[in-house]
């Protein structure tokens, strides 16, 4: 696949991911939980009865703040989904024209939005999904960061993903011509 | 000038036109309210609600019903924002780009009728 075709495929996939992936955040008071898509569409707003006692203005403010964080979480998950399938280089290309993912833009030391916190790993209320779809993964905000980057160093959140398992060890290469002609495929059998 | 350069120049021209238009008219917002005015949501295209206004009487709906109402009104506000952005940009871009706006989630649709001009200012 050419570079141009890969970019087109990435754009197509990104559109699908953005419409499918959701993020969930809970207000630090625990009174409001919002699930939203990566384009900010609210999928669910759960209010505890005690939230209503805070007054209408406070409820509106809590919903707005929590919705913003839920959207950021969904955007982050979208980046991870794209990077997982198409590779880091394609995710970086998307980042170049779509902007950095929210958690990257905030930086590792930036505190979250006041009064809000992402829902702990995958405790999101399961939004209705199309059959056969896989559940969205939690955003990497909930994953431990290996180590803080050096000042000025550009980091990619997907770089923090756990390394792939080690490849199966290959048998030692032998340069004995007689052995090779006796069994030319011995090193490729499993 | 080859095809690539022509395409790049066209993209740059449209980008300039859109930037000038946004600078002239201000940002685009959508808004929707529930029929009894209990919940009002304001949002930008492709973004979460920027403002959620709840009337004191809405608290009598109960927590679950109020949450569901916010979701319903927010959906209409998002549709309104998308429609307003589409209508705003359709004057600047060619039909193919206009169709692309629809494909990426900003259909022309119909803007909310009770929405005045305070959030989408006209040309000065």
């Amino acid at each position: 696949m050419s570079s141009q075709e890969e970019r087109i495929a990435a754009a197509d996939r990104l559109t699908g991911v953005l419409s499918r992936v959701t993020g969930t955040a809970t207000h630090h008071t625990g009174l409001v939980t919002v699930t939203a898509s990566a384009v900010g569409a609210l999928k669910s707003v759960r209010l505890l009865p005690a939230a209503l006692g805070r007054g209408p203005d406070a409820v509106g403010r809590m919903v707005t703040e929590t919705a913003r964080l839920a959207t950021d979480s969904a955007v982050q998950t979208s980046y991870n989904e794209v990077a997982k399938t198409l590779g880091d280089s394609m995710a970086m290309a998307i980042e170049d024209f779509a902007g950095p993912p929210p958690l990257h833009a905030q930086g590792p030391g930036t505190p979250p939005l006041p009064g809000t916190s992402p829902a702990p790993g995958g405790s999101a209320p399961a939004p209705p999904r199309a059959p056969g779809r896989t559940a969205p993964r939690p955003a990497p905000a909930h994953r431990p960061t290996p180590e803080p980057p050096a000042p000025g160093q550009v980091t990619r959140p997907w770089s923090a993903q756990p390394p792939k398992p080690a490849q199966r060890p290959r048998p030692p290469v032998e340069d004995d011509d007689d052995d090779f002609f006796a069994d030319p495929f011995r090193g490729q059998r499993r | 000038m080859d095809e690539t350069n022509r395409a790049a120049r066209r993209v740059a021209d449209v980008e300039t036109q859109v930037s000038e238009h946004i600078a002239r008219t201000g940002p685009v917002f959508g808004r929707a309210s529930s029929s009894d005015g209990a919940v009002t949501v304001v949002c930008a295209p492709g973004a979460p609600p920027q403002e959620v206004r709840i009337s004191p009487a809405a608290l009598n709906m109960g927590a679950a019903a109020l949450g569901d109402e916010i979701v319903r009104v927010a959906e209409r506000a998002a549709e309104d924002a998308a429609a307003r952005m589409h209508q705003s940009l359709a004057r600047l871009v060619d039909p193919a780009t206009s169709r692309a706006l629809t494909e990426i989630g900003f259909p022309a649709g119909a803007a909310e009728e009770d929405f005045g001009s305070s959030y989408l200012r006209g040309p000065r």
Side-chain angles (χ1 to χ4, degrees):
Chain A
M1 184 183 285
S2 71
S3 173
Q4 180 70 13
E5 288 169 335
E6 285 180 359
R7 285 173 189 275
I8 293 172
D12 286 346
R13 177 164 173 74
L14 184 64
T15 304
V17 167
L18 288 176
S19 63
R20 174 172 54 89
V21 171
T22 60
T24 297
T26 300
H27 197 265
H28 78 96
T29 59
L31 297 175
V32 178
T33 299
V34 175
T35 299
S37 75
V39 294
L42 303 191
K43 301 300 181 185
S44 78
V45 173
R46 289 190 305 170
L47 305 171
L48 291 188
L52 307 187
R54 301 286 183 102
D57 292 344
V59 172
R61 206 163 41 247
M62 285 192 290
V63 170
T64 304
E65 292 170 357
T66 312
R68 195 178 311 148
L69 199 69
T71 302
D72 284 351
S73 175
V75 171
Q76 184 67 60
T77 305
S78 300
Y79 271 96
N80 295 349
E81 289 282 323
V82 171
K84 190 173 64 179
T85 306
L86 295 173
D88 283 358
S89 61
M90 199 52 61
M92 290 177 199
I94 291 171
E95 181 183 330
D96 285 343
F97 69 78
L103 297 175
H104 180 205
Q106 287 178 5
T110 307
L113 195 66
T116 54
S117 61
S123 67
R129 287 191 297 270
R133 302 281 193 182
T134 57
R137 298 183 315 151
H142 317 311
R143 284 203 301 252
T145 305
E147 58 186 41
Q153 177 187 353
V154 177
T155 59
R156 310 287 183 180
W158 41 85
S159 301
Q161 293 183 4
K164 293 179 180 176
Q167 294 286 328
R168 184 177 179 166
R170 293 182 178 279
V173 178
E174 297 175 9
D175 292 334
D176 188 332
D177 289 347
D178 292 339
D179 287 349
F180 174 79
F181 286 113
D183 184 3
F185 301 109
R186 71 190 187 289
Q188 300 175 22
R189 292 203 182 104
R190 295 187 176 178
Chain B
M1 184 183 291
D2 64 10
E3 191 63 31
T4 306
N5 286 336
R6 271 196 295 273
R9 185 167 182 173
R10 226 176 97 224
V11 169
D13 289 345
V14 171
E15 187 178 352
T16 303
Q17 285 179 329
V18 170
S19 298
E20 290 174 354
H21 180 71
I22 297 285
R24 203 166 51 241
T25 63
V28 176
F29 289 104
R31 190 185 75 165
S33 295
S34 48
S35 56
D36 57 358
V39 175
T40 298
V41 175
V42 178
C43 68
Q50 181 166 319
E51 184 180 359
V52 176
R53 285 200 296 268
I54 296 168
S55 74
L59 301 182
N60 296 327
M61 296 169 66
L66 179 57
D68 292 344
E69 182 66 9
I70 292 172
V71 172
R72 273 193 295 271
V73 175
E75 183 179 6
R76 282 175 39 219
E79 290 171 356
D80 183 49
R84 288 178 185 280
M85 190 180 85
H86 188 111
Q87 291 164 10
S88 179
L89 297 183
R91 285 172 260 163
L92 305 172
V93 300
D94 57 46
T97 308
S98 183
R99 283 195 297 275
L101 280 172
T102 301
E103 289 170 7
I104 63 173
F106 300 105
E112 292 280 319
E113 291 179 357
D114 62 343
F115 190 21
S117 59
S118 59
Y119 288 92
L120 178 62
R121 287 171 284 164
R124 289 171 182 161

